[in-house]
Amino acid sequence: MKTIRRNLYKWMVNLHPAPFRARFGPEMLSIYDESKGAAPLLRDAAVSILRQRLFRSPSANPPTLATGDPQTPLFATAGDGGGLHGFASRLAVGGAVTLALFSATVLGVGKGRLPTFVVGSLHPREQVLAIDRESMSAPSGPTTMVRVSDPAVDPLDEWAKAYFALLTPLAAIDRNGDRILDPRELDHASEALAKLDTDGNGFLDARECGQRFGDSAPHANAVTARDLASALIRQFDRDGDGGLIKSELPERLHLLHSAADANGDGRLTRAELEAHAAAVAWKDELGPTKEFLIRAARDFMGVQPALAALDVNGDGVISAIELRDAAKSLRTLDRNGDGALTIGELLPNAIDNETALIMRLDTDGDGTISKAERKTPLGRYYARILDAAQPARDGAIARPQVRRALIRERASIHKW
Amino acid sequence: MQEPAAASFQPLPPAILHILLAIAGEDLHGYGILKEIERQSEGLYRLGPGTLYDNLQKLLDRGLVRDMGQREGDTDSRRRYYRLSPLGKKVLTAETRRLETLVSEAKLRLRLPGRMMP
């Protein structure tokens, strides 16, 4: 490469007019050989060629000192050899020299061979490149491979498919089916959502928004709360005392244990189990109670960010007024401010949801979980999180503290 | 032939001034002139060979610089040495005075410290 650059410089020196080249050429090469960086010298030589070719007349005699305007400094003229005489022809020569330099550079880069660049696609398709068929079917393949990464696969895309299929409002608003709610689609959100009001009551409930829980009719061989209590005791009562302590139950049922242990003695009796099953979910036969369904519907509306945004007052339904303001409400989810809602902005956040679940301990609605409110089955179940949220246990715990404690817990589990 | 007045060369372009100044103390070859200019200007002003020899051509043609030819025993036989001619010295002296006056005027107007020229 060093030799190529020196040869290029030598060639550029030779492009100077003969008198100049004869007089200073060897010295210029001598300086090149003594200098370190080639780039500034090559630039200087290129400028020098143009200067000598355009403004210095090789045929002109050295100007006599007697000539010239005495008021004009002798060094001030651009072309003291020939002025601008024959400027056009010199410009043409300069252009030719520039072209020659460019060609020389290309040849230099190609190490003496004019490099060939064929740009194409190994698997051309008209949809990808709007090129004519002849060029697509050229027998020779591309000589230069430019590897483009595979089309970006958004790991959230599979989630998006499932989520848009679950939440009918999202599918209704997303008219082009790209699982992105763009600004135009958001503008027409109200009309799109109104079509989901299948019962024509003017508002959307959880079922119309995609909730499927409780759809199935009671099972023909439904078990009663009594059957359920018996089954649990039969399966897990290892010491045969007719009750269940927490250590007898698998971990997944510990929440049930805490919730059903009405007297808080740590031992679930058959009566407590039956009462809990009847009160919370089960009546005489398999199937949720009306209260349970209402709460489930409200939870469903509350944990889905899009539905929670639409249900501004949090009453579990999207009213006519809330439907009218749908676009405005949905745009509150646009965290990055790009005007569109992507799946990342629509999917529920596990931490936020669990925080909301824990904050249900706040039965007096003052926004905090008091010491008394912690003494419920759910409070006892979440004791570890609540202790972490407020180690002193002597005051009310607010939502941010709960959220931070949950994040810390997840971080310790997943080693974030 | 009558020697032109030193004032007829003024003001000197920066490249000319630096070249004359570089060879004012001793004869130098092209590379030596470039290095001396770089040293004098503390690296702020640099010439390439093309610009140097374009200006040297003018200086030689006008008699401000003399070509002293090659030196015996030089490590590079391609080197030629250049010397400031008496006319070149007069021009450089005149230009130096002009610049001194200019600097004095500048100091006076800007109220900068420094000795005023007579």
Side-chain angles (χ1 to χ4, degrees), chain A residues 83-102:
Chain A
L84 295 179
H85 177 69
F87 180 77
S89 64
R90 290 173 192 177
L91 196 63
V93 171
V97 169
T98 306
L99 190 64
L101 277 173
F102 175 76

Side-chain angles (χ1 to χ4, degrees), chain A residues 293-354:
Chain A
L293 285 177
I294 290 171
R295 204 176 68 204
R298 190 166 295 180
D299 285 350
F300 178 79
M301 299 294 283
V303 298
Q304 321 298 339
L307 301 183
L310 288 167
D311 179 19
V312 178
N313 61 6
D315 63 353
V317 296
I318 302 169
S319 67
I321 294 173
E322 289 166 340
L323 277 174
R324 188 194 64 197
D325 297 334
K328 186 181 168 189
S329 302
L330 287 170
R331 284 195 167 100
T332 60
L333 301 174
D334 183 16
R335 291 197 296 266
N336 60 9
D338 65 351
L341 295 180
T342 55
I343 188 63
E345 291 163 318
L346 293 169
L347 275 178
N349 180 301
I351 296 286
D352 288 343
N353 286 345
E354 192 154 4

Side-chain angles (χ1 to χ4, degrees), chain A residues 60-116:
Chain A
N61 293 323
T64 57
L65 294 173
T67 60
D69 182 354
Q71 299 303 313
T72 307
L74 289 177
F75 292 115
T77 53
D80 30 20
L84 295 179
H85 177 69
F87 180 77
S89 64
R90 290 173 192 177
L91 196 63
V93 171
V97 169
T98 306
L99 190 64
L101 277 173
F102 175 76
S103 304
T105 306
V106 171
L107 285 169
V109 171
K111 295 182 180 175
R113 279 185 26 218
L114 193 62
T116 305

Side-chain angles (χ1 to χ4, degrees), chain A residues 27 33-34 44 52 56, chain B residues 50 53-54 76 78-79 82:
Chain A
E27 288 180 80
D33 292 339
E34 292 198 58
D44 172 76
Q52 296 300 327
R56 312 285 185 255
Chain B
Y53 288 115
D54 179 57
D76 190 339
R78 294 169 297 183
R79 288 176 176 168
Y82 299 92

Side-chain angles (χ1 to χ4, degrees), chain A residues 61-359:
Chain A
N61 293 323
T64 57
L65 294 173
T67 60
D69 182 354
Q71 299 303 313
T72 307
L74 289 177
F75 292 115
T77 53
D80 30 20
L84 295 179
H85 177 69
F87 180 77
S89 64
R90 290 173 192 177
L91 196 63
V93 171
V97 169
T98 306
L99 190 64
L101 277 173
F102 175 76
S103 304
T105 306
V106 171
L107 285 169
V109 171
K111 295 182 180 175
R113 279 185 26 218
L114 193 62
T116 305
F117 300 99
V118 179
V119 179
S121 167
L122 282 178
H123 307 289
R125 283 180 301 163
E126 280 180 306
Q127 301 94 310
V128 177
L129 292 172
I131 51 179
D132 63 79
R133 286 205 162 275
E134 277 187 23
S135 66
M136 284 162 56
S137 57
S140 57
T143 55
T144 303
M145 181 76 75
V146 180
R147 189 170 291 281
V148 180
S149 62
D150 292 333
V153 177
D154 188 347
L156 286 175
D157 201 45
E158 289 303 313
W159 285 88
K161 280 182 196 169
Y163 197 58
F164 273 64
L166 169 71
L167 287 196
T168 49
L170 298 185
I173 298 169
D174 181 28
R175 287 186 298 182
N176 61 7
D178 64 351
R179 293 181 285 281
I180 293 170
L181 306 186
D182 59 49
R184 194 175 170 78
E185 290 169 339
L186 287 173
D187 287 341
H188 296 91
S190 296
E191 303 96 274
L193 291 173
K195 291 176 186 166
L196 298 177
D197 183 20
T198 49
D199 57 11
N201 60 4
F203 60 85
L204 298 183
D205 58 21
R207 191 175 299 268
E208 287 167 324
C209 289
Q211 191 209 30
R212 296 288 173 267
F213 186 81
D215 267 3
S216 57
H219 197 277
N221 299 316
V223 293
T224 63
R226 178 186 296 261
D227 294 334
L228 182 69
S230 297
L232 283 172
I233 289 172
R234 191 167 54 245
Q235 185 167 353
F236 297 112
D237 181 20
R238 287 190 297 234
D239 59 8
D241 67 347
L244 296 172
I245 55 173
K246 202 174 253 183
S247 61
E248 290 177 317
L249 291 170
E251 196 175 348
R252 67 177 185 277
L253 293 178
H254 284 186
L255 177 59
L256 169 71
H257 188 283
S258 300
D261 184 15
N263 60 8
D265 65 351
R267 181 174 178 275
L268 280 185
T269 62
R270 179 184 294 273
E272 283 174 327
L273 270 172
E274 284 183 24
H276 180 70
V280 176
W282 314 97
K283 278 184 161 181
D284 289 334
E285 54 189 22
L286 185 64
T289 62
K290 187 180 174 187
E291 291 73 24
F292 181 87
L293 285 177
I294 290 171
R295 204 176 68 204
R298 190 166 295 180
D299 285 350
F300 178 79
M301 299 294 283
V303 298
Q304 321 298 339
L307 301 183
L310 288 167
D311 179 19
V312 178
N313 61 6
D315 63 353
V317 296
I318 302 169
S319 67
I321 294 173
E322 289 166 340
L323 277 174
R324 188 194 64 197
D325 297 334
K328 186 181 168 189
S329 302
L330 287 170
R331 284 195 167 100
T332 60
L333 301 174
D334 183 16
R335 291 197 296 266
N336 60 9
D338 65 351
L341 295 180
T342 55
I343 188 63
E345 291 163 318
L346 293 169
L347 275 178
N349 180 301
I351 296 286
D352 288 343
N353 286 345
E354 192 154 4
T355 303
L357 180 64
I358 295 175
M359 288 309 292

Side-chain angles (χ1 to χ4, degrees), chain A residues 357-400:
Chain A
L357 180 64
I358 295 175
M359 288 309 292
R360 277 167 51 182
L361 290 169
D362 172 29
T363 48
D364 62 7
D366 68 348
T368 60
I369 300 169
S370 66
K371 204 171 173 183
E373 286 166 336
R374 289 184 59 172
K375 291 177 180 171
T376 60
L378 188 65
R380 286 199 294 276
Y381 178 71
Y382 280 115
R384 190 161 49 88
I385 300 294
L386 294 169
D387 288 347
Q390 197 193 54
R393 300 189 201 182
D394 55 356
I397 303 170
R399 180 181 292 267

Side-chain angles (χ1 to χ4, degrees), chain A residues 6 9 16 19-20 23-24 26-36 41 44-45 47-48 51-52 56 62-66 70 72-78 80, chain B residues 1 4 8-13 16 29-31 34 47-64 67 76 78-82 87 91:
Chain A
R6 191 185 186 281
Y9 188 76
H16 284 73
F20 184 91
R23 181 149 192 188
F24 299 115
E27 288 180 80
M28 288 177 76
L29 276 173
S30 164
I31 290 177
Y32 181 92
D33 292 339
E34 292 198 58
S35 302
K36 285 177 183 171
L41 296 180
D44 172 76
V47 173
S48 180
R51 185 194 298 122
Q52 296 300 327
R56 312 285 185 255
T64 57
L65 294 173
T72 307
L74 289 177
F75 292 115
T77 53
D80 30 20
Chain B
M1 190 168 65
S8 65
F9 294 94
Q10 291 179 311
L12 294 181
I16 296 282
H29 52 72
Y31 186 67
L34 296 182
L47 289 181
T51 312
L52 169 70
Y53 288 115
D54 179 57
N55 284 289
L56 268 180
Q57 173 82 69
K58 292 179 198 172
L59 292 167
L60 289 164
D61 291 345
R62 285 163 178 73
L64 274 69
D67 181 355
D76 190 339
R78 294 169 297 183
R79 288 176 176 168
R80 300 182 71 83
Y81 286 77
Y82 299 92
L87 174 61
V91 171

